[in-house]
Amino acid sequence: MQIFAHLSDLHLDGGERADARAAAVVRYLRELEHPVDAAFVTGDIADHGEPEEYQRAAELLDLPFPVVSCPGNHDVRAPFREVLLGEPAGDGPINHAVEAAGALLVSCDSTIPGKGAGYLADETLAWLDETLSGHEGPSLIAFHHPPLDVGVPLVDVIRQTGEHRLAAVLRRHPEVAALLCGHVHTGAATMFAGVPLRIAPGVVSGSLLPVEPGAGRGWDEGGPLDFDGPPSLLLHVLHDDGRLTTHHRTVTK
Ligand SMILES: [Fe+2]
Ligand SMILES: [Fe+2]
């Protein structure tokens, strides 16, 4: 059994509020009885894609276990690579895979530079297919944008499209335990192409379903978002049979 943390949508913007919430989640991870096997950070790490925002992210995410990060629509590839990942700057998709505790942890870039919506480029899907083919055992695949509607109108209009291409890759790799994403700013679980899809809550804020108080708020009043709830994250337990159980944790101190 392995345990993976999953946080998302820190939206670090140089301000105190986002910083304090991200720092609280990181403190929670540092104070665990045992380190997790790895942590996933599924995008919108910086709010404006500024190098200073990634500098702060790099400080916060310098943790005693592997951290697998993918960019979101608020991120900018060149400083993400250079400052957060310590790699040469470049504008191509940011795709990585690492092995941790026998599992293959894959992060794919679902961003379209300059756009809110997402799409996995052909080169990303070809890389994913090849990467999964070279591994035996369970794998987890992370990207920012969910590849289907999730019931949050604000997000459904900027979800990942072209998803039938991802579904075709997944059909060739039944050992994929789950897909992990962010972007929605709410903890949620669904299925995509027969594979569990787990969505991490937004560290910086929560989004609202149409039935919830505040869902009708216009952008001049702060938009249909919850800024009052405490930050939270997911802990994924990967069982030896390849099944994933997901636990939701709220950080209150
Ligand atoms: Fe976000
Ligand atoms: Fe996003």
Side-chain angles (χ1 to χ4, degrees), residues 5 7 25-31 35-36 38-39 41 57-67:
L7 49 152
V25 171
V26 167
R27 194 162 53 242
Y28 170 86
L29 292 175
R30 285 190 173 280
E31 291 176 356
V36 289
V41 189
E59 289 166 18
L60 286 166
L61 298 174
D62 182 16
L63 293 164
F65 41 79
V67 175

Side-chain angles (χ1 to χ4, degrees), residues 9 44 73 144 183:
D9 295 84
D44 285 356
N73 51 301
H144 182 65
H183 193 47

Side-chain angles (χ1 to χ4, degrees), residues 150-170:
V150 294
V152 176
L154 174 72
V155 178
D156 286 343
V157 294
I158 51 169
R159 72 168 175 88
Q160 181 190 143
T161 59
E163 66 274 15
H164 61 283
R165 299 150 54 250
L166 172 62
V169 172
L170 294 172

Side-chain angles (χ1 to χ4, degrees), residues 8-9 11 42-44 72-75 116 144-146 155 158 182-185:
S8 199
D9 295 84
H11 287 267
T42 47
D44 285 356
N73 51 301
H74 282 254
D75 291 301
H144 182 65
H145 300 77
V155 178
I158 51 169
H183 193 47
V184 188
H185 289 225

Side-chain angles (χ1 to χ4, degrees), residues 187-241:
T190 184
M191 299 285 284
F192 174 77
V195 181
L197 171 68
R198 305 287 153 86
I199 302 169
V203 169
V204 75
S205 64
S207 61
L208 300 168
L209 289 169
V211 293
E212 294 184 291
R217 262 197 306 264
W219 287 109
D220 52 337
E221 303 168 290
L225 295 165
D226 172 16
F227 291 100
D228 299 326
S232 55
L233 73 158
L234 303 179
L235 294 175
H236 301 298
V237 176
L238 180 59
H239 302 275
D240 293 343
D241 61 1

Side-chain angles (χ1 to χ4, degrees), residues 1-224:
M1 168 178 117
Q2 296 113 47
I3 301 182
F4 301 102
H6 180 189
L7 49 152
S8 199
D9 295 84
L10 283 60
H11 287 267
L12 294 167
D13 58 1
E16 278 178 28
R17 184 182 176 280
D19 196 278
R21 292 172 71 93
V25 171
V26 167
R27 194 162 53 242
Y28 170 86
L29 292 175
R30 285 190 173 280
E31 291 176 356
L32 291 170
E33 195 72 23
H34 302 285
V36 289
D37 289 290
F40 289 89
V41 189
T42 47
D44 285 356
I45 295 173
D47 196 44
H48 309 103
E50 296 290 338
E52 303 75 45
E53 296 169 348
Y54 291 114
Q55 187 56 49
R56 180 57 179 147
E59 289 166 18
L60 286 166
L61 298 174
D62 182 16
L63 293 164
F65 41 79
V67 175
V68 180
S69 303
C70 61
N73 51 301
H74 282 254
D75 291 301
V76 176
R77 286 174 177 172
F80 188 103
R81 269 205 172 89
E82 221 173 355
V83 184
L84 182 59
L85 302 180
E87 298 177 357
D91 292 327
I94 299 172
N95 301 317
H96 286 292
V98 296
E99 269 197 56
L104 183 68
L105 314 183
V106 185
S107 62
C108 294
D109 190 335
S110 65
T111 67
I112 308 168
K115 295 264 194 326
Y119 187 84
L120 293 171
D122 289 345
E123 72 174 275
T124 296
L125 283 170
W127 171 85
L128 176 64
D129 199 7
E130 193 184 322
T131 300
L132 293 172
S133 297
H135 176 80
E136 277 187 29
S139 55
L140 293 167
I141 303 171
F143 41 71
H144 182 65
H145 300 77
L148 70 189
D149 285 348
V150 294
V152 176
L154 174 72
V155 178
D156 286 343
V157 294
I158 51 169
R159 72 168 175 88
Q160 181 190 143
T161 59
E163 66 274 15
H164 61 283
R165 299 150 54 250
L166 172 62
V169 172
L170 294 172
R171 274 196 291 275
R172 289 196 283 277
H173 302 282
E175 71 285 2
V176 174
L179 306 170
L180 312 178
C181 69
H183 193 47
V184 188
H185 289 225
T186 190
T190 184
M191 299 285 284
F192 174 77
V195 181
L197 171 68
R198 305 287 153 86
I199 302 169
V203 169
V204 75
S205 64
S207 61
L208 300 168
L209 289 169
V211 293
E212 294 184 291
R217 262 197 306 264
W219 287 109
D220 52 337
E221 303 168 290

